[in-house]
Amino acid sequence: MTATPTEHRAKIAEARNVLGEVISRARYANEPTVLINRGKEAAVIVSYEDYMTLRELRGYLRELEAGTTSDDAHKARMLGEAMAVAQRRALGD
């Protein structure tokens, strides 16, 4: 069974002091860090790979929302596959 990856949380000022560690966790351990500003989630530091996956998913989603082509079923399948990849990454597979 695969364990759920750790999600770290840190105030921005604290994360700034250990930025190299925060980046290493995102890059090598696939562990995001949620940055907190004044008690609220402000941003997340994730690996570049995860960021690019998110961009790709957003693009597919925009195309599906437009719904102007007869190829929407294909796009929906592609989005589902990309989401499955993202989920596997999040689970550390």
Side-chain angles (χ1 to χ4, degrees), residues 8-10 15-16 19 21 24 29 33 36-37 39-43 57-58 62 66 70 74 78 82-84 86 90:
H8 302 274
R9 299 176 71 76
R16 186 181 302 124
L19 185 58
E21 182 181 321
S24 290
T33 298
I36 308 299
N37 186 22
K40 294 185 180 182
E41 291 86 0
L57 289 171
R58 284 182 176 167
R62 278 192 298 274
S70 60
H74 174 70
M78 289 177 63
M83 290 174 73

Side-chain angles (χ1 to χ4, degrees), residues 2-13:
T2 304
T4 303
T6 303
E7 177 183 277
H8 302 274
R9 299 176 71 76
K11 293 180 181 176
I12 292 173

Side-chain angles (χ1 to χ4, degrees), residues 64-91:
L64 285 172
E65 287 174 341
T68 58
T69 69
S70 60
D71 202 22
D72 286 342
H74 174 70
K75 292 174 188 170
R77 183 181 55 77
M78 289 177 63
L79 179 58
E81 290 172 5
M83 290 174 73
V85 168
Q87 184 176 14
R88 283 193 302 273
R89 285 182 187 154
L91 295 174

Side-chain angles (χ1 to χ4, degrees), residues 30-51:
N30 219 14
E31 296 177 352
T33 298
V34 178
L35 300 177
I36 308 299
N37 186 22
R38 299 177 190 222
K40 294 185 180 182
E41 291 86 0
V44 181
I45 297 178
V46 297
S47 69
Y48 184 75
E49 185 177 284
D50 286 350
Y51 167 73

